[in-house]
Amino acid sequence: SQPVGGSQREQLKRLLTVCKHARIGVAPQHYRNVAALEALLQKHGLHDYSGKRDIKAVRARLERERELDGIDAGNILQQPKES
């Protein structure tokens, strides 16, 4: 039989792998905290057994949010509508 710590270590690796593939930033204090990692993934609609499609969708959404985060909407000029 496998010790409980081993299965927790495997779950931790799965959680960190999903975070890595989804490009979700993990604070160093959460690296060994299973509950914090599960909460972080749940915030983004994922879990430790999320499929590739779900992970890819979250990664695309986060990348788009990061791109838009650097844009200052006040600098966007609108062209007048042509009649």
Side-chain angles (χ1 to χ4, degrees):
S1 80
Q2 189 173 13
V4 176
S7 64
Q8 186 175 5
R9 190 174 307 128
E10 290 171 13
Q11 183 182 16
L12 199 60
K13 285 175 77 171
R14 277 195 312 271
L15 291 166
L16 287 170
T17 299
V18 173
C19 287
K20 179 181 174 184
H21 289 304
R23 304 235 167 79
I24 297 173
V26 178
Q29 64 264 27
H30 297 310
Y31 278 121
R32 300 214 179 268
N33 188 341
V34 172
L37 288 171
E38 286 177 334
L40 182 63
L41 286 175
Q42 196 170 40
K43 176 181 149 188
H44 293 287
L46 296 172
H47 52 84
D48 54 343
Y49 288 105
S50 292
K52 289 180 181 180
R53 182 183 298 153
D54 295 332
I55 293 171
K56 190 175 180 179
V58 169
R59 181 175 60 218
R61 189 186 79 231
L62 288 174
E63 286 176 354
R64 188 170 41 254
E65 287 176 4
R66 289 179 186 127
E67 287 175 10
L68 295 177
D69 190 36
I71 296 175
D72 182 8
N75 290 335
I76 297 175
L77 300 175
Q78 293 184 354
Q79 295 180 351
K81 293 182 180 180
E82 296 182 28
S83 323

mmCIF file with all atom_site columns, all heavy atoms in Angstrom, residues 2-25:
data_model
loop_
_atom_site.group_PDB
_atom_site.id
_atom_site.type_symbol
_atom_site.label_atom_id
_atom_site.label_alt_id
_atom_site.label_comp_id
_atom_site.label_asym_id
_atom_site.label_entity_id
_atom_site.label_seq_id
_atom_site.pdbx_PDB_ins_code
_atom_site.Cartn_x
_atom_site.Cartn_y
_atom_site.Cartn_z
_atom_site.occupancy
_atom_site.B_iso_or_equiv
_atom_site.pdbx_formal_charge
_atom_site.auth_seq_id
_atom_site.auth_comp_id
_atom_site.auth_asym_id
_atom_site.auth_atom_id
_atom_site.pdbx_PDB_model_num
ATOM 1   N N   . GLN A 1 2  ? 0.362  2.289  -0.616  1.00 0.00 ? 2  GLN A N   1
ATOM 2   C CA  . GLN A 1 2  ? 1.116  3.522  -0.766  1.00 0.00 ? 2  GLN A CA  1
ATOM 3   C C   . GLN A 1 2  ? 0.796  4.470  0.392   1.00 0.00 ? 2  GLN A C   1
ATOM 4   O O   . GLN A 1 2  ? -0.360 4.583  0.807   1.00 0.00 ? 2  GLN A O   1
ATOM 5   C CB  . GLN A 1 2  ? 0.735  4.177  -2.088  1.00 0.00 ? 2  GLN A CB  1
ATOM 6   C CG  . GLN A 1 2  ? 1.604  5.348  -2.465  1.00 0.00 ? 2  GLN A CG  1
ATOM 7   C CD  . GLN A 1 2  ? 1.268  5.843  -3.869  1.00 0.00 ? 2  GLN A CD  1
ATOM 8   O OE1 . GLN A 1 2  ? 0.268  5.466  -4.431  1.00 0.00 ? 2  GLN A OE1 1
ATOM 9   N NE2 . GLN A 1 2  ? 2.101  6.686  -4.400  1.00 0.00 ? 2  GLN A NE2 1
ATOM 10  N N   . PRO A 1 3  ? 1.792  5.152  0.939   1.00 0.00 ? 3  PRO A N   1
ATOM 11  C CA  . PRO A 1 3  ? 1.518  6.096  2.037   1.00 0.00 ? 3  PRO A CA  1
ATOM 12  C C   . PRO A 1 3  ? 0.669  7.270  1.557   1.00 0.00 ? 3  PRO A C   1
ATOM 13  O O   . PRO A 1 3  ? 0.682  7.619  0.384   1.00 0.00 ? 3  PRO A O   1
ATOM 14  C CB  . PRO A 1 3  ? 2.912  6.557  2.474   1.00 0.00 ? 3  PRO A CB  1
ATOM 15  C CG  . PRO A 1 3  ? 3.806  6.265  1.323   1.00 0.00 ? 3  PRO A CG  1
ATOM 16  C CD  . PRO A 1 3  ? 3.198  5.104  0.605   1.00 0.00 ? 3  PRO A CD  1
ATOM 17  N N   . VAL A 1 4  ? -0.080 7.848  2.482   1.00 0.00 ? 4  VAL A N   1
ATOM 18  C CA  . VAL A 1 4  ? -0.978 8.953  2.150   1.00 0.00 ? 4  VAL A CA  1
ATOM 19  C C   . VAL A 1 4  ? -0.206 10.127 1.558   1.00 0.00 ? 4  VAL A C   1
ATOM 20  O O   . VAL A 1 4  ? -0.653 10.774 0.630   1.00 0.00 ? 4  VAL A O   1
ATOM 21  C CB  . VAL A 1 4  ? -1.764 9.403  3.411   1.00 0.00 ? 4  VAL A CB  1
ATOM 22  C CG1 . VAL A 1 4  ? -2.616 10.610 3.113   1.00 0.00 ? 4  VAL A CG1 1
ATOM 23  C CG2 . VAL A 1 4  ? -2.606 8.261  3.927   1.00 0.00 ? 4  VAL A CG2 1
ATOM 24  N N   . GLY A 1 5  ? 0.974  10.387 2.072   1.00 0.00 ? 5  GLY A N   1
ATOM 25  C CA  . GLY A 1 5  ? 1.784  11.490 1.570   1.00 0.00 ? 5  GLY A CA  1
ATOM 26  C C   . GLY A 1 5  ? 2.105  11.346 0.094   1.00 0.00 ? 5  GLY A C   1
ATOM 27  O O   . GLY A 1 5  ? 2.196  12.316 -0.631  1.00 0.00 ? 5  GLY A O   1
ATOM 28  N N   . GLY A 1 6  ? 2.252  10.112 -0.381  1.00 0.00 ? 6  GLY A N   1
ATOM 29  C CA  . GLY A 1 6  ? 2.553  9.871  -1.784  1.00 0.00 ? 6  GLY A CA  1
ATOM 30  C C   . GLY A 1 6  ? 1.404  10.289 -2.688  1.00 0.00 ? 6  GLY A C   1
ATOM 31  O O   . GLY A 1 6  ? 1.605  10.903 -3.721  1.00 0.00 ? 6  GLY A O   1
ATOM 32  N N   . SER A 1 7  ? 0.181  9.943  -2.309  1.00 0.00 ? 7  SER A N   1
ATOM 33  C CA  . SER A 1 7  ? -0.959 10.319 -3.144  1.00 0.00 ? 7  SER A CA  1
ATOM 34  C C   . SER A 1 7  ? -1.175 11.828 -3.116  1.00 0.00 ? 7  SER A C   1
ATOM 35  O O   . SER A 1 7  ? -1.575 12.413 -4.110  1.00 0.00 ? 7  SER A O   1
ATOM 36  C CB  . SER A 1 7  ? -2.217 9.582  -2.698  1.00 0.00 ? 7  SER A CB  1
ATOM 37  O OG  . SER A 1 7  ? -2.573 9.958  -1.386  1.00 0.00 ? 7  SER A OG  1
ATOM 38  N N   . GLN A 1 8  ? -0.904 12.440 -1.978  1.00 0.00 ? 8  GLN A N   1
ATOM 39  C CA  . GLN A 1 8  ? -1.026 13.898 -1.892  1.00 0.00 ? 8  GLN A CA  1
ATOM 40  C C   . GLN A 1 8  ? 0.033  14.560 -2.773  1.00 0.00 ? 8  GLN A C   1
ATOM 41  O O   . GLN A 1 8  ? -0.245 15.558 -3.436  1.00 0.00 ? 8  GLN A O   1
ATOM 42  C CB  . GLN A 1 8  ? -0.893 14.371 -0.450  1.00 0.00 ? 8  GLN A CB  1
ATOM 43  C CG  . GLN A 1 8  ? -1.146 15.859 -0.298  1.00 0.00 ? 8  GLN A CG  1
ATOM 44  C CD  . GLN A 1 8  ? -1.126 16.307 1.152   1.00 0.00 ? 8  GLN A CD  1
ATOM 45  O OE1 . GLN A 1 8  ? -0.835 15.517 2.045   1.00 0.00 ? 8  GLN A OE1 1
ATOM 46  N NE2 . GLN A 1 8  ? -1.426 17.552 1.381   1.00 0.00 ? 8  GLN A NE2 1
ATOM 47  N N   . ARG A 1 9  ? 1.224  13.984 -2.809  1.00 0.00 ? 9  ARG A N   1
ATOM 48  C CA  . ARG A 1 9  ? 2.293  14.511 -3.646  1.00 0.00 ? 9  ARG A CA  1
ATOM 49  C C   . ARG A 1 9  ? 1.909  14.406 -5.124  1.00 0.00 ? 9  ARG A C   1
ATOM 50  O O   . ARG A 1 9  ? 2.149  15.321 -5.905  1.00 0.00 ? 9  ARG A O   1
ATOM 51  C CB  . ARG A 1 9  ? 3.592  13.757 -3.372  1.00 0.00 ? 9  ARG A CB  1
ATOM 52  C CG  . ARG A 1 9  ? 4.802  14.403 -4.016  1.00 0.00 ? 9  ARG A CG  1
ATOM 53  C CD  . ARG A 1 9  ? 6.105  13.740 -3.615  1.00 0.00 ? 9  ARG A CD  1
ATOM 54  N NE  . ARG A 1 9  ? 6.251  13.638 -2.160  1.00 0.00 ? 9  ARG A NE  1
ATOM 55  C CZ  . ARG A 1 9  ? 6.530  12.502 -1.522  1.00 0.00 ? 9  ARG A CZ  1
ATOM 56  N NH1 . ARG A 1 9  ? 6.707  11.386 -2.176  1.00 0.00 ? 9  ARG A NH1 1
ATOM 57  N NH2 . ARG A 1 9  ? 6.655  12.484 -0.210  1.00 0.00 ? 9  ARG A NH2 1
ATOM 58  N N   . GLU A 1 10 ? 1.290  13.287 -5.507  1.00 0.00 ? 10 GLU A N   1
ATOM 59  C CA  . GLU A 1 10 ? 0.832  13.112 -6.887  1.00 0.00 ? 10 GLU A CA  1
ATOM 60  C C   . GLU A 1 10 ? -0.244 14.124 -7.243  1.00 0.00 ? 10 GLU A C   1
ATOM 61  O O   . GLU A 1 10 ? -0.241 14.694 -8.340  1.00 0.00 ? 10 GLU A O   1
ATOM 62  C CB  . GLU A 1 10 ? 0.307  11.690 -7.095  1.00 0.00 ? 10 GLU A CB  1
ATOM 63  C CG  . GLU A 1 10 ? 1.393  10.642 -7.071  1.00 0.00 ? 10 GLU A CG  1
ATOM 64  C CD  . GLU A 1 10 ? 0.839  9.229  -7.064  1.00 0.00 ? 10 GLU A CD  1
ATOM 65  O OE1 . GLU A 1 10 ? -0.374 9.060  -7.317  1.00 0.00 ? 10 GLU A OE1 1
ATOM 66  O OE2 . GLU A 1 10 ? 1.615  8.308  -6.812  1.00 0.00 ? 10 GLU A OE2 1
ATOM 67  N N   . GLN A 1 11 ? -1.172 14.355 -6.317  1.00 0.00 ? 11 GLN A N   1
ATOM 68  C CA  . GLN A 1 11 ? -2.226 15.346 -6.563  1.00 0.00 ? 11 GLN A CA  1
ATOM 69  C C   . GLN A 1 11 ? -1.619 16.734 -6.705  1.00 0.00 ? 11 GLN A C   1
ATOM 70  O O   . GLN A 1 11 ? -2.015 17.507 -7.574  1.00 0.00 ? 11 GLN A O   1
ATOM 71  C CB  . GLN A 1 11 ? -3.251 15.333 -5.431  1.00 0.00 ? 11 GLN A CB  1
ATOM 72  C CG  . GLN A 1 11 ? -4.403 16.292 -5.690  1.00 0.00 ? 11 GLN A CG  1
ATOM 73  C CD  . GLN A 1 11 ? -5.406 16.321 -4.560  1.00 0.00 ? 11 GLN A CD  1
ATOM 74  O OE1 . GLN A 1 11 ? -5.126 15.868 -3.450  1.00 0.00 ? 11 GLN A OE1 1
ATOM 75  N NE2 . GLN A 1 11 ? -6.573 16.859 -4.819  1.00 0.00 ? 11 GLN A NE2 1
ATOM 76  N N   . LEU A 1 12 ? -0.641 17.037 -5.881  1.00 0.00 ? 12 LEU A N   1
ATOM 77  C CA  . LEU A 1 12 ? 0.043  18.319 -5.942  1.00 0.00 ? 12 LEU A CA  1
ATOM 78  C C   . LEU A 1 12 ? 0.705  18.493 -7.312  1.00 0.00 ? 12 LEU A C   1
ATOM 79  O O   . LEU A 1 12 ? 0.601  19.556 -7.930  1.00 0.00 ? 12 LEU A O   1
ATOM 80  C CB  . LEU A 1 12 ? 1.075  18.402 -4.823  1.00 0.00 ? 12 LEU A CB  1
ATOM 81  C CG  . LEU A 1 12 ? 1.600  19.758 -4.417  1.00 0.00 ? 12 LEU A CG  1
ATOM 82  C CD1 . LEU A 1 12 ? 0.464  20.637 -3.943  1.00 0.00 ? 12 LEU A CD1 1
ATOM 83  C CD2 . LEU A 1 12 ? 2.609  19.607 -3.303  1.00 0.00 ? 12 LEU A CD2 1
ATOM 84  N N   . LYS A 1 13 ? 1.352  17.433 -7.803  1.00 0.00 ? 13 LYS A N   1
ATOM 85  C CA  . LYS A 1 13 ? 1.996  17.488 -9.118  1.00 0.00 ? 13 LYS A CA  1
ATOM 86  C C   . LYS A 1 13 ? 0.957  17.713 -10.215 1.00 0.00 ? 13 LYS A C   1
ATOM 87  O O   . LYS A 1 13 ? 1.186  18.496 -11.132 1.00 0.00 ? 13 LYS A O   1
ATOM 88  C CB  . LYS A 1 13 ? 2.779  16.199 -9.381  1.00 0.00 ? 13 LYS A CB  1
ATOM 89  C CG  . LYS A 1 13 ? 4.084  16.112 -8.618  1.00 0.00 ? 13 LYS A CG  1
ATOM 90  C CD  . LYS A 1 13 ? 4.767  14.788 -8.809  1.00 0.00 ? 13 LYS A CD  1
ATOM 91  C CE  . LYS A 1 13 ? 5.438  14.719 -10.162 1.00 0.00 ? 13 LYS A CE  1
ATOM 92  N NZ  . LYS A 1 13 ? 6.297  13.514 -10.300 1.00 0.00 ? 13 LYS A NZ  1
ATOM 93  N N   . ARG A 1 14 ? -0.197 17.021 -10.129 1.00 0.00 ? 14 ARG A N   1
ATOM 94  C CA  . ARG A 1 14 ? -1.271 17.208 -11.124 1.00 0.00 ? 14 ARG A CA  1
ATOM 95  C C   . ARG A 1 14 ? -1.774 18.642 -11.115 1.00 0.00 ? 14 ARG A C   1
ATOM 96  O O   . ARG A 1 14 ? -1.963 19.259 -12.162 1.00 0.00 ? 14 ARG A O   1
ATOM 97  C CB  . ARG A 1 14 ? -2.435 16.255 -10.844 1.00 0.00 ? 14 ARG A CB  1
ATOM 98  C CG  . ARG A 1 14 ? -2.271 14.872 -11.387 1.00 0.00 ? 14 ARG A CG  1
ATOM 99  C CD  . ARG A 1 14 ? -3.579 14.111 -11.385 1.00 0.00 ? 14 ARG A CD  1
ATOM 100 N NE  . ARG A 1 14 ? -4.318 14.190 -10.133 1.00 0.00 ? 14 ARG A NE  1
ATOM 101 C CZ  . ARG A 1 14 ? -4.178 13.350 -9.113  1.00 0.00 ? 14 ARG A CZ  1
ATOM 102 N NH1 . ARG A 1 14 ? -3.322 12.353 -9.195  1.00 0.00 ? 14 ARG A NH1 1
ATOM 103 N NH2 . ARG A 1 14 ? -4.898 13.490 -8.029  1.00 0.00 ? 14 ARG A NH2 1
ATOM 104 N N   . LEU A 1 15 ? -2.007 19.173 -9.916  1.00 0.00 ? 15 LEU A N   1
ATOM 105 C CA  . LEU A 1 15 ? -2.514 20.545 -9.792  1.00 0.00 ? 15 LEU A CA  1
ATOM 106 C C   . LEU A 1 15 ? -1.524 21.544 -10.380 1.00 0.00 ? 15 LEU A C   1
ATOM 107 O O   . LEU A 1 15 ? -1.911 22.453 -11.132 1.00 0.00 ? 15 LEU A O   1
ATOM 108 C CB  . LEU A 1 15 ? -2.796 20.882 -8.329  1.00 0.00 ? 15 LEU A CB  1
ATOM 109 C CG  . LEU A 1 15 ? -3.971 20.145 -7.683  1.00 0.00 ? 15 LEU A CG  1
ATOM 110 C CD1 . LEU A 1 15 ? -3.934 20.303 -6.176  1.00 0.00 ? 15 LEU A CD1 1
ATOM 111 C CD2 . LEU A 1 15 ? -5.292 20.627 -8.245  1.00 0.00 ? 15 LEU A CD2 1
ATOM 112 N N   . LEU A 1 16 ? -0.248 21.381 -10.052 1.00 0.00 ? 16 LEU A N   1
ATOM 113 C CA  . LEU A 1 16 ? 0.771  22.295 -10.571 1.00 0.00 ? 16 LEU A CA  1
ATOM 114 C C   . LEU A 1 16 ? 0.915  22.165 -12.080 1.00 0.00 ? 16 LEU A C   1
ATOM 115 O O   . LEU A 1 16 ? 1.131  23.156 -12.779 1.00 0.00 ? 16 LEU A O   1
ATOM 116 C CB  . LEU A 1 16 ? 2.114  22.041 -9.874  1.00 0.00 ? 16 LEU A CB  1
ATOM 117 C CG  . LEU A 1 16 ? 2.196  22.530 -8.429  1.00 0.00 ? 16 LEU A CG  1
ATOM 118 C CD1 . LEU A 1 16 ? 3.455  22.013 -7.756  1.00 0.00 ? 16 LEU A CD1 1
ATOM 119 C CD2 . LEU A 1 16 ? 2.127  24.042 -8.357  1.00 0.00 ? 16 LEU A CD2 1
ATOM 120 N N   . THR A 1 17 ? 0.761  20.947 -12.610 1.00 0.00 ? 17 THR A N   1
ATOM 121 C CA  . THR A 1 17 ? 0.849  20.736 -14.051 1.00 0.00 ? 17 THR A CA  1
ATOM 122 C C   . THR A 1 17 ? -0.299 21.440 -14.771 1.00 0.00 ? 17 THR A C   1
ATOM 123 O O   . THR A 1 17 ? -0.088 22.090 -15.798 1.00 0.00 ? 17 THR A O   1
ATOM 124 C CB  . THR A 1 17 ? 0.834  19.226 -14.378 1.00 0.00 ? 17 THR A CB  1
ATOM 125 O OG1 . THR A 1 17 ? 1.966  18.627 -13.745 1.00 0.00 ? 17 THR A OG1 1
ATOM 126 C CG2 . THR A 1 17 ? 0.907  18.980 -15.865 1.00 0.00 ? 17 THR A CG2 1
ATOM 127 N N   . VAL A 1 18 ? -1.513 21.328 -14.232 1.00 0.00 ? 18 VAL A N   1
ATOM 128 C CA  . VAL A 1 18 ? -2.657 22.013 -14.846 1.00 0.00 ? 18 VAL A CA  1
ATOM 129 C C   . VAL A 1 18 ? -2.435 23.516 -14.806 1.00 0.00 ? 18 VAL A C   1
ATOM 130 O O   . VAL A 1 18 ? -2.664 24.208 -15.802 1.00 0.00 ? 18 VAL A O   1
ATOM 131 C CB  . VAL A 1 18 ? -3.983 21.630 -14.143 1.00 0.00 ? 18 VAL A CB  1
ATOM 132 C CG1 . VAL A 1 18 ? -5.137 22.475 -14.664 1.00 0.00 ? 18 VAL A CG1 1
ATOM 133 C CG2 . VAL A 1 18 ? -4.286 20.147 -14.349 1.00 0.00 ? 18 VAL A CG2 1
ATOM 134 N N   . CYS A 1 19 ? -1.959 24.045 -13.678 1.00 0.00 ? 19 CYS A N   1
ATOM 135 C CA  . CYS A 1 19 ? -1.669 25.482 -13.577 1.00 0.00 ? 19 CYS A CA  1
ATOM 136 C C   . CYS A 1 19 ? -0.635 25.893 -14.617 1.00 0.00 ? 19 CYS A C   1
ATOM 137 O O   . CYS A 1 19 ? -0.772 26.922 -15.284 1.00 0.00 ? 19 CYS A O   1
ATOM 138 C CB  . CYS A 1 19 ? -1.161 25.837 -12.177 1.00 0.00 ? 19 CYS A CB  1
ATOM 139 S SG  . CYS A 1 19 ? -2.423 25.829 -10.903 1.00 0.00 ? 19 CYS A SG  1
ATOM 140 N N   . LYS A 1 20 ? 0.390  25.086 -14.783 1.00 0.00 ? 20 LYS A N   1
ATOM 141 C CA  . LYS A 1 20 ? 1.461  25.395 -15.735 1.00 0.00 ? 20 LYS A CA  1
ATOM 142 C C   . LYS A 1 20 ? 0.926  25.420 -17.161 1.00 0.00 ? 20 LYS A C   1
ATOM 143 O O   . LYS A 1 20 ? 1.193  26.346 -17.918 1.00 0.00 ? 20 LYS A O   1
ATOM 144 C CB  . LYS A 1 20 ? 2.577  24.361 -15.600 1.00 0.00 ? 20 LYS A CB  1
ATOM 145 C CG  . LYS A 1 20 ? 3.725  24.565 -16.551 1.00 0.00 ? 20 LYS A CG  1
ATOM 146 C CD  . LYS A 1 20 ? 4.762  23.481 -16.355 1.00 0.00 ? 20 LYS A CD  1
ATOM 147 C CE  . LYS A 1 20 ? 5.844  23.578 -17.404 1.00 0.00 ? 20 LYS A CE  1
ATOM 148 N NZ  . LYS A 1 20 ? 6.808  22.482 -17.287 1.00 0.00 ? 20 LYS A NZ  1
ATOM 149 N N   . HIS A 1 21 ? 0.147  24.393 -17.533 1.00 0.00 ? 21 HIS A N   1
ATOM 150 C CA  . HIS A 1 21 ? -0.378 24.318 -18.893 1.00 0.00 ? 21 HIS A CA  1
ATOM 151 C C   . HIS A 1 21 ? -1.387 25.427 -19.187 1.00 0.00 ? 21 HIS A C   1
ATOM 152 O O   . HIS A 1 21 ? -1.477 25.893 -20.322 1.00 0.00 ? 21 HIS A O   1
ATOM 153 C CB  . HIS A 1 21 ? -1.006 22.955 -19.160 1.00 0.00 ? 21 HIS A CB  1
ATOM 154 C CG  . HIS A 1 21 ? -0.011 21.850 -19.267 1.00 0.00 ? 21 HIS A CG  1
ATOM 155 N ND1 . HIS A 1 21 ? 1.040  21.867 -20.161 1.00 0.00 ? 21 HIS A ND1 1
ATOM 156 C CD2 . HIS A 1 21 ? 0.113  20.687 -18.578 1.00 0.00 ? 21 HIS A CD2 1
ATOM 157 C CE1 . HIS A 1 21 ? 1.753  20.760 -20.022 1.00 0.00 ? 21 HIS A CE1 1
ATOM 158 N NE2 . HIS A 1 21 ? 1.225  20.035 -19.049 1.00 0.00 ? 21 HIS A NE2 1
ATOM 159 N N   . ALA A 1 22 ? -2.131 25.833 -18.156 1.00 0.00 ? 22 ALA A N   1
ATOM 160 C CA  . ALA A 1 22 ? -3.126 26.897 -18.337 1.00 0.00 ? 22 ALA A CA  1
ATOM 161 C C   . ALA A 1 22 ? -2.487 28.281 -18.188 1.00 0.00 ? 22 ALA A C   1
ATOM 162 O O   . ALA A 1 22 ? -3.156 29.295 -18.351 1.00 0.00 ? 22 ALA A O   1
ATOM 163 C CB  . ALA A 1 22 ? -4.260 26.748 -17.337 1.00 0.00 ? 22 ALA A CB  1
ATOM 164 N N   . ARG A 1 23 ? -1.195 28.302 -17.849 1.00 0.00 ? 23 ARG A N   1
ATOM 165 C CA  . ARG A 1 23 ? -0.453 29.545 -17.621 1.00 0.00 ? 23 ARG A CA  1
ATOM 166 C C   . ARG A 1 23 ? -1.075 30.391 -16.493 1.00 0.00 ? 23 ARG A C   1
ATOM 167 O O   . ARG A 1 23 ? -1.202 31.604 -16.596 1.00 0.00 ? 23 ARG A O   1
ATOM 168 C CB  . ARG A 1 23 ? -0.358 30.366 -18.904 1.00 0.00 ? 23 ARG A CB  1
ATOM 169 C CG  . ARG A 1 23 ? 0.256  29.574 -20.043 1.00 0.00 ? 23 ARG A CG  1
ATOM 170 C CD  . ARG A 1 23 ? 1.443  30.255 -20.657 1.00 0.00 ? 23 ARG A CD  1
ATOM 171 N NE  . ARG A 1 23 ? 2.195  29.380 -21.529 1.00 0.00 ? 23 ARG A NE  1
ATOM 172 C CZ  . ARG A 1 23 ? 1.865  29.067 -22.781 1.00 0.00 ? 23 ARG A CZ  1
ATOM 173 N NH1 . ARG A 1 23 ? 0.784  29.543 -23.311 1.00 0.00 ? 23 ARG A NH1 1
ATOM 174 N NH2 . ARG A 1 23 ? 2.625  28.279 -23.494 1.00 0.00 ? 23 ARG A NH2 1
ATOM 175 N N   . ILE A 1 24 ? -1.455 29.686 -15.435 1.00 0.00 ? 24 ILE A N   1
ATOM 176 C CA  . ILE A 1 24 ? -1.982 30.348 -14.241 1.00 0.00 ? 24 ILE A CA  1
ATOM 177 C C   . ILE A 1 24 ? -0.811 30.545 -13.296 1.00 0.00 ? 24 ILE A C   1
ATOM 178 O O   . ILE A 1 24 ? -0.116 29.594 -12.936 1.00 0.00 ? 24 ILE A O   1
ATOM 179 C CB  . ILE A 1 24 ? -3.063 29.486 -13.559 1.00 0.00 ? 24 ILE A CB  1
ATOM 180 C CG1 . ILE A 1 24 ? -4.266 29.308 -14.495 1.00 0.00 ? 24 ILE A CG1 1
ATOM 181 C CG2 . ILE A 1 24 ? -3.499 30.104 -12.242 1.00 0.00 ? 24 ILE A CG2 1
ATOM 182 C CD1 . ILE A 1 24 ? -5.296 28.331 -13.982 1.00 0.00 ? 24 ILE A CD1 1
ATOM 183 N N   . GLY A 1 25 ? -0.574 31.785 -12.897 1.00 0.00 ? 25 GLY A N   1
ATOM 184 C CA  . GLY A 1 25 ? 0.518  32.087 -11.986 1.00 0.00 ? 25 GLY A CA  1
ATOM 185 C C   . GLY A 1 25 ? 0.233  31.563 -10.586 1.00 0.00 ? 25 GLY A C   1
ATOM 186 O O   . GLY A 1 25 ? -0.863 31.739 -10.070 1.00 0.00 ? 25 GLY A O   1
#
